[in-house]
């Protein structure tokens, strides 16, 4: 495996060189979770309202 930590590659290329189990879906999940974490740090109220809205919709759809 390439040693990207000491190279001049951008961060996304370093991330791509890391071995991941789970294939492309794991990469999508990692990116989505990272974007949620960034949103929660920058705009906590917005993230909380989105989480509440998603929870209400899922609860409503799963109940019936």
């Amino acid at each position: 495996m390439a040693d990207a930590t000491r190279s001049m590659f951008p961060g996304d290329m370093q991330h791509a060189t890391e071995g991941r189990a789970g294939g492309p879906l794991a990469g999508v999940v990692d990116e989505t979770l990272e974007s949620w974490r960034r949103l929660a740090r920058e705009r906590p109220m917005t993230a909380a309202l989105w989480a509440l809205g998603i929870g209400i919709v899922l609860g409503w759809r799963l109940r019936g």
Side-chain angles (χ1 to χ4, degrees), residues 1-2 4 6 9 11 21 23 27 29 36 39 43 45 57 60-61 64:
M1 181 161 58
R6 287 189 261 155
F9 291 118
V29 170
W36 270 101
L39 177 69
R43 297 177 156 181
M45 183 61 91
V57 170
W60 170 62
R61 294 304 301 165

Side-chain angles (χ1 to χ4, degrees), residues 4-55:
T5 58
R6 287 189 261 155
S7 68
M8 296 176 56
F9 291 118
D12 58 340
M13 291 180 78
Q14 289 179 11
H15 199 68
T17 60
E18 296 172 359
R20 264 192 234 133
L25 183 60
V28 171
V29 170
D30 289 343
E31 291 173 13
T32 303
L33 289 175
E34 182 57 37
S35 67
W36 270 101
R37 288 181 187 119
R38 187 175 51 246
L39 177 69
R41 279 191 302 269
E42 294 172 1
R43 297 177 156 181
M45 183 61 91
T46 303
L49 290 175
W50 269 102
L52 179 66
I54 291 171

